[in-house]
Amino acid sequence: MALAAASDTNSLYILVVEDEPILREDIATYLRDCGCTVHEAASAEQALAMCRAGLRVDVLFTDIILNGRAEGWMLAKLFRTARPAVGVVYASGNSIDRSECVPGSVFFMKPYLRFNILAACRDLQNRSGCQ
Protein backbone atom coordinates (compact mmCIF):
# COMPACT_ATOMS: atom_id res chain seq x y z
CA MET A 1 0.00 0.00 0.00
CA ALA A 2 2.76 2.46 0.89
CA LEU A 3 4.48 1.92 -2.44
CA ALA A 4 1.34 2.70 -4.40
CA ALA A 5 0.86 5.92 -2.47
CA ALA A 6 4.48 7.02 -2.86
CA SER A 7 4.15 8.20 -6.45
CA ASP A 8 1.24 10.46 -5.53
CA THR A 9 3.08 12.21 -2.71
CA ASN A 10 6.68 12.67 -3.88
CA SER A 11 6.40 16.43 -3.67
CA LEU A 12 4.35 16.58 -0.46
CA TYR A 13 6.25 18.24 2.40
CA ILE A 14 4.63 17.83 5.80
CA LEU A 15 5.64 19.30 9.14
CA VAL A 16 4.36 17.09 11.99
CA VAL A 17 4.06 18.94 15.30
CA GLU A 18 3.28 16.65 18.22
CA ASP A 19 4.67 16.79 21.76
CA GLU A 20 4.12 13.07 22.41
CA PRO A 21 7.20 11.38 20.87
CA ILE A 22 5.50 8.03 20.19
CA LEU A 23 2.57 9.65 18.36
CA ARG A 24 4.88 11.99 16.42
CA GLU A 25 7.15 9.13 15.36
CA ASP A 26 4.22 6.91 14.38
CA ILE A 27 2.56 9.36 12.00
CA ALA A 28 5.87 10.70 10.67
CA THR A 29 7.12 7.19 9.85
CA TYR A 30 3.85 6.30 8.14
CA LEU A 31 3.90 9.47 6.01
CA ARG A 32 7.54 8.90 5.06
CA ASP A 33 6.75 5.30 4.11
CA CYS A 34 4.06 6.71 1.81
CA GLY A 35 6.63 8.88 0.03
CA CYS A 36 6.18 12.21 1.78
CA THR A 37 9.02 14.40 2.96
CA VAL A 38 8.37 14.79 6.67
CA HIS A 39 9.93 17.08 9.24
CA GLU A 40 9.15 16.81 12.93
CA ALA A 41 8.80 19.32 15.73
CA ALA A 42 8.07 18.66 19.40
CA SER A 43 6.68 22.15 20.08
CA ALA A 44 5.10 25.15 18.41
CA GLU A 45 8.26 27.13 19.10
CA GLN A 46 10.40 24.57 17.27
CA ALA A 47 7.95 24.52 14.34
CA LEU A 48 7.98 28.31 14.07
CA ALA A 49 11.78 28.33 14.09
CA MET A 50 11.70 25.87 11.18
CA CYS A 51 9.27 28.15 9.35
CA ARG A 52 11.50 31.20 9.93
CA ALA A 53 14.49 29.18 8.66
CA GLY A 54 12.69 28.70 5.33
CA LEU A 55 11.80 25.02 5.59
CA ARG A 56 9.45 23.99 2.79
CA VAL A 57 6.06 23.03 4.23
CA ASP A 58 3.01 22.24 2.12
CA VAL A 59 0.94 20.95 5.04
CA LEU A 60 1.20 21.58 8.77
CA PHE A 61 -0.09 18.63 10.81
CA THR A 62 -0.40 19.72 14.44
CA ASP A 63 -1.77 18.53 17.71
CA ILE A 64 -3.95 21.20 19.31
CA ILE A 65 -2.68 20.89 22.86
CA LEU A 66 1.10 21.24 22.88
CA ASN A 67 3.59 21.68 25.69
CA GLY A 68 5.21 25.07 25.62
CA ARG A 69 3.84 28.55 25.23
CA ALA A 70 1.69 28.14 22.11
CA GLU A 71 -1.04 25.71 21.18
CA GLY A 72 -1.78 24.28 17.77
CA TRP A 73 -4.40 26.98 17.17
CA MET A 74 -1.86 29.77 17.50
CA LEU A 75 0.79 27.83 15.61
CA ALA A 76 -1.53 27.43 12.62
CA LYS A 77 -2.49 31.11 12.67
CA LEU A 78 1.15 32.20 12.81
CA PHE A 79 2.11 29.74 10.06
CA ARG A 80 -0.71 31.01 7.86
CA THR A 81 0.39 34.61 8.44
CA ALA A 82 3.87 33.73 7.15
CA ARG A 83 2.66 31.29 4.49
CA PRO A 84 -0.97 31.81 3.46
CA ALA A 85 -1.07 28.76 1.15
CA VAL A 86 0.00 26.18 3.76
CA GLY A 87 -2.57 23.48 4.43
CA VAL A 88 -3.44 22.76 8.06
CA VAL A 89 -4.52 19.47 9.62
CA TYR A 90 -5.33 19.47 13.34
CA ALA A 91 -5.60 16.51 15.69
CA SER A 92 -6.75 16.32 19.29
CA GLY A 93 -7.89 13.81 21.84
CA ASN A 94 -10.12 16.45 23.42
CA SER A 95 -13.40 17.96 22.35
CA ILE A 96 -12.68 21.31 20.80
CA ASP A 97 -14.40 24.44 19.56
CA ARG A 98 -13.74 24.22 15.83
CA SER A 99 -14.34 27.95 15.41
CA GLU A 100 -10.65 28.32 16.34
CA CYS A 101 -9.56 26.41 13.22
CA VAL A 102 -8.00 28.42 10.42
CA PRO A 103 -10.16 28.57 7.27
CA GLY A 104 -9.90 25.56 4.98
CA SER A 105 -8.29 23.35 7.62
CA VAL A 106 -9.18 19.78 8.55
CA PHE A 107 -9.69 18.35 12.05
CA PHE A 108 -9.31 14.76 13.27
CA MET A 109 -10.21 13.40 16.67
CA LYS A 110 -7.61 11.08 18.23
CA PRO A 111 -7.27 8.24 17.74
CA TYR A 112 -7.25 8.84 13.99
CA LEU A 113 -6.55 6.50 11.11
CA ARG A 114 -3.19 7.34 9.55
CA PHE A 115 -4.41 6.89 5.98
CA ASN A 116 -7.07 9.55 6.64
CA ILE A 117 -4.33 11.98 7.64
CA LEU A 118 -2.45 11.25 4.40
CA ALA A 119 -5.64 11.69 2.35
CA ALA A 120 -6.36 15.04 4.03
CA CYS A 121 -2.78 16.22 3.43
CA ARG A 122 -3.00 15.27 -0.25
CA ASP A 123 -6.34 17.03 -0.60
CA LEU A 124 -5.00 20.21 1.00
CA GLN A 125 -1.93 20.09 -1.25
CA ASN A 126 -4.16 19.79 -4.31
CA ARG A 127 -6.39 22.66 -3.18
CA SER A 128 -3.45 24.99 -2.59
CA GLY A 129 -1.81 24.15 -5.90
CA CYS A 130 1.46 22.94 -4.32
CA GLN A 131 3.16 20.48 -6.67
Side-chain angles (χ1 to χ4, degrees):
M1 167 108 172
L3 292 176
S7 64
D8 296 335
T9 57
N10 284 335
S11 64
L12 182 54
Y13 290 75
I14 303 171
L15 175 56
V16 174
V17 186
E18 169 63 67
D19 56 353
E20 292 293 330
I22 293 171
L23 296 177
R24 185 176 61 248
E25 183 178 322
D26 179 65
I27 190 65
T29 299
Y30 173 77
L31 294 169
R32 281 187 191 103
D33 288 347
C34 290
C36 302
T37 299
V38 180
H39 299 281
E40 300 176 46
S43 67
E45 293 83 4
Q46 186 180 13
L48 289 171
M50 295 166 108
C51 179
R52 286 190 292 272
L55 180 72
R56 177 177 171 183
V57 177
D58 299 325
V59 178
L60 171 68
F61 173 67
T62 184
D63 188 11
I64 290 178
I65 299 175
L66 298 166
N67 293 330
R69 294 179 295 193
E71 292 184 339
W73 304 121
M74 184 56 64
L75 172 61
K77 289 175 185 173
L78 293 170
F79 234 90
R80 276 278 181 87
T81 298
R83 301 177 185 190
V86 75
V88 177
V89 177
Y90 298 103
S92 182
N94 301 307
S95 295
I96 57 130
D97 176 4
R98 293 191 189 178
S99 68
E100 293 288 327
C101 294
V102 295
S105 61
V106 180
F107 172 79
F108 289 94
M109 196 71 181
K110 291 179 183 177
Y112 49 76
L113 297 174
R114 295 177 301 178
F115 69 85
N116 286 338
I117 301 300
L118 177 60
C121 290
R122 279 191 196 147
D123 184 54
L124 289 168
Q125 178 192 34
N126 291 336
R127 280 194 252 161
S128 70
C130 298
Q131 293 296 325

